Structures are given as structure tokens and as C-alpha cells.
Amino acid sequence: MISCPGKFSPLISAMALLASIAVTNADAAEAKMVEVEKRESAYPFSETVQRLRTALESKGITIFAVIDQREAARSVGLDMPPTTLLVYGNPKGGTPLMIAAPDFGIELPLKVLVREDASGKVLVVYKPARALDGQHGLPAGQAEKLAGAEALIATAIGAHTQN
């Protein structure tokens, strides 16, 4: 319990308690918003990208875009390790979520980043469904409908968690 001596101690105690709750809630919300899953691929970079594309498309998931971020960097005279972003989804699964919570559309389509680190490890990074649960007004438990791709990703890359 928080205590403050003096005339305003109950008020100050209440304000301190509310402030600590607000900070705790803000910290929890921020941690949830930035949560990502990072897995190491058992395959070289290009093969990892191809295996992910094949695995997702084989289950009827649409690849909306493939962005070669390394090539984009080179186009402006910069260099970076191999990095590719796959933008994917399934309108049949995502649309009902956006109807339930229109602002949830900011999270869709989903993305998976494939990158090579300085030591040559190929890492796959994505935001798991559990991190999206309840975001942007989506009713609790609804984001779980997006989790199916996570198993596909893990299988495709023969992965283990890096977090």
C-alpha cells in the first residue's frame, strides 16, 4: 500500500495508485503491440523465402506482395543484408475480422519478414495472432483465427524460436 503523511495523504495515495496502474497498463499494452515471434530457418535465405511462399500458397493463402527490401536499399545507394517481406492473407478469413472491427484492417494483410543477420543466420519474424488479440476493437479470441499460418511458417522453415 502507498502511504503519504499529511493533510492530503488519502488524495495523494489515490493519485499515486492510479498513476501506477496507468503505467502498468500502458507498459502491458506497449509490450503486446510490439510482440513478435522470431525463428531461425534451417535453410538458406532464398530457399526460406521460396519455402514460405509455397507453404502459404499450398493452403490457399494469397501472397499479395513480395518486397525485396535489400534491392530497395540498393536502388538508393545503400546496402543491407538480404531482407524480404512477404505480405499474405486470405480475404475469406480476414474480412469477417475487419467487419467486426473495421480498424483491425490496419493489421491485415499479415506480414512475415525473412532476413539474414550479420553471422549468416536466416531469421523469420512475424507478429503472432496472440499479439493481435483484442487490438483495434477486435473482440477477444477472434485473432486466433489467424494463427493457422504460424504452424505453416514453422514447418516450412524447420524452425525453432529465437526470442
Side-chain angles (χ1 to χ4, degrees), residues 2-19:
I2 301 170
S3 65
C4 298
K7 185 175 174 180
F8 296 103
S9 63
L11 178 59
I12 292 171
S13 294
M15 290 173 56
L17 179 61
L18 288 174

Side-chain angles (χ1 to χ4, degrees), residues 99-114:
I99 291 169
D103 292 346
F104 192 73
I106 193 73
E107 300 294 344
L108 300 174
L110 297 170
K111 297 172 284 302
V112 60
L113 179 72
V114 181

Side-chain angles (χ1 to χ4, degrees), residues 65-82:
V66 177
I67 303 168
D68 184 337
Q69 294 175 328
R70 181 183 204 183
E71 191 55 41
R74 286 180 175 165
S75 75
V76 295
L78 300 171
D79 193 30
M80 65 184 290

